[in-house]
Structures are given as structure tokens and as C-alpha cells.
Amino acid sequence: MSSAYLLLSHGSRDRRPEIAMQQLASLVCQKLPSEHLVGIAALEMSPQPLHEQIKQFAKSAFGDCTQSQNENRLKIIPLFLLPGVHVMTDIPAEVALAQQATGQDIIIELQPYLGSHPNLEKLLAKQIAAIKAEAWILLAHGSRRPGSQETVEAMAASLGAVTAYWAGPPSLESRVKELVTAGYREIAILPYFLFAGGITDAIATSIEELKLQFSAVNFQLAKPLGASAELAELIWDLTQR
């Protein structure tokens, strides 16, 4: 059996997430005999729709698979942190289109999304341990899909943090106000995002504004997850499920 792996991100106009995706792909490559067996794709902000990206990667990974006696499997790993509309609806629909286009010579398997990995919490705990603070806010993007934020809420509770969402309530500012009212003066924010980009820049700007509003409070901003060997290990684990 021959397997190839496609790491799937949301996509961004900012170049930094794409560079980080390439770094992650390179780290995952180290577990395989050929670098051609790991690729990256984006759901949005790409010149081609996702199903076309999948089809092209399958072709480059397996060549003319009709001449091969091997069973060819393409595993797609969504590097998304919440089970929102993209993970539950958009991506499966694109994968189905890609499977239709490639036929039966390649089996396309959609793996669990990154945010479902139980050890992801350990990476966040490591970041929390590195910064001294009285209170932590786990700041996620948020989703309009009902129930999609339950995993974030559970993770925050386990980490001893409260949640806030960039694209919905409760907002970062409202959470900060609650903590300040409760008497906290050392507040740290952990952005529950994969990579630095436009949103993490906007978060940093928001925190500068909060510093002006709450001058007696010491704010600290942790980094997003980033491309690391530990994250690559979790991704590899998802490919084996």
C-alpha cells in the first residue's frame, strides 16, 4: 500500500501561515521515505478550489496510478482547531468532489481535524507554564456552528483559563473587564490559533488598546501554536488513525 498526506489549512492572504505550513510539511516529511508524499493545500484564498488541489497533489504523489498494482491512499489532515462549518461541511464536500474526479484508483481518506487530538492541550499547557500570570484567557476564533465551541470550553476549563472569541461573544474586552472587576492585575492571553498572521496581529493591537484602558493591569500575550516538531508529531498521529 502506498500512502501520501495532504495537510489542509484555512488559507490566508498573509504569507506567514503558508510558510509555517511548508515548515510543518517538512517536519512530517522526516517520517517518510520521500518528500513528494507530503503536500499542503488551502480551503480558501487559493487560486484553485480545494478539490482541484487534492486532485493535482494525488497526481504528483502517485503518478499514473492506473499502471500500479499498489493500493494508493491519500490522507487529508485538516489543520483546524474547531469543528466548525469548514470542518464538518465544506471540507467533506470538497473531498467527495476530489474522490469523484480521481476515481477508484486512489482512496481519499479524511482524517480527524487537529483540534480533536487529546494531546493538543499539552502543547497549550507548556505555553501557559512559561508565563507567570494570575489569570489566563484562551482566545479562539469562534464558529457560527452550534456546539462547535464545546471543545474549547472544555480545554480552557482543564487549563484553568476562561474563554473569549475573536468572531463572537464573549469578546476579549468583555472577558478582560470581568477579570479586572474580579481583582486580577496579571492577565495573559493565549491565542488558540495555529500560526501568526493577520488575526494575531489584530489581537496584539487590541491588547495595546486594553493596556491604555486598564493601565494598572499587566497584560501578556503568548504565541500561537506555530510549526514545531511536537505539533508535527500530533499531525502524524492523526494520519495513523
Side-chain angles (χ1 to χ4, degrees):
M1 185 176 73
S2 181
S3 294
Y5 307 89
L6 191 61
L7 310 185
L8 173 60
S9 67
H10 180 273
S12 172
R13 291 187 183 90
D14 194 303
R15 283 279 296 144
R16 287 171 291 173
E18 188 187 343
I19 292 165
M21 282 291 288
Q22 288 166 351
Q23 290 168 340
L24 262 185
S26 178
L27 288 164
V28 173
C29 269
Q30 293 171 14
K31 300 180 178 295
L32 294 161
S34 167
E35 63 181 28
H36 300 297
L37 295 177
V38 180
I40 63 172
L43 179 63
E44 295 182 359
M45 313 296 174
S46 176
Q48 294 177 311
L50 178 58
H51 65 270
E52 193 61 40
Q53 294 173 66
I54 296 170
K55 189 174 131 188
Q56 288 194 2
F57 175 69
K59 193 175 177 184
S60 70
F62 300 118
D64 187 1
C65 55
T66 56
Q67 305 302 314
S68 169
Q69 299 306 306
N70 289 339
E71 182 181 63
N72 297 300
R73 287 183 183 272
L74 171 54
K75 298 190 175 192
I76 296 173
I77 308 96
L79 302 192
F80 287 70
L81 298 173
L82 300 179
V85 175
H86 287 329
V87 166
M88 305 307 289
T89 305
D90 302 339
I91 294 169
E94 289 290 318
V95 168
L97 286 174
Q99 183 69 79
Q100 227 173 359
T102 54
Q104 299 309 305
D105 296 315
I106 298 169
I107 298 162
I108 302 176
E109 294 179 344
L110 185 56
Q111 303 303 114
Y113 71 100
L114 178 60
S116 68
H117 199 295
N119 289 344
L120 191 61
E121 191 180 305
K122 289 180 183 175
L123 292 190
L124 300 179
K126 204 167 149 187
Q127 286 171 286
I128 285 177
I131 295 175
K132 188 175 174 295
E134 294 172 346
W136 277 89
I137 298 172
L138 183 65
L139 177 59
H141 184 277
S143 169
R144 66 182 187 274
R145 183 177 170 271
S148 62
Q149 287 158 198
E150 287 171 8
T151 53
V152 183
E153 297 292 333
M155 192 179 285
S158 178
L159 292 166
V162 293
T163 52
Y165 297 95
W166 188 250
S171 67
L172 176 60
E173 186 179 0
S174 69
R175 277 298 195 213
V176 166
K177 282 179 179 172
E178 286 174 16
L179 292 172
V180 172
T181 302
Y184 293 102
R185 294 295 177 266
E186 298 269 344
I187 300 173
I189 295 96
L190 178 56
Y192 190 43
F193 290 82
L194 268 185
F195 310 122
I199 293 179
T200 58
D201 286 351
I203 291 168
T205 301
S206 288
I207 290 169
E208 289 306 312
E209 290 167 358
L210 287 167
K211 284 178 182 177
L212 294 173
Q213 196 177 342
F214 303 101
S215 56
V217 177
N218 180 30
F219 290 97
Q220 295 196 70
L221 176 61
K223 291 180 179 177
L225 287 162
S228 67
E230 293 96 330
L231 189 61
E233 195 62 48
L234 298 191
I235 292 166
W236 179 251
D237 188 46
L238 289 172
T239 70
Q240 305 310 301
R241 294 187 176 195

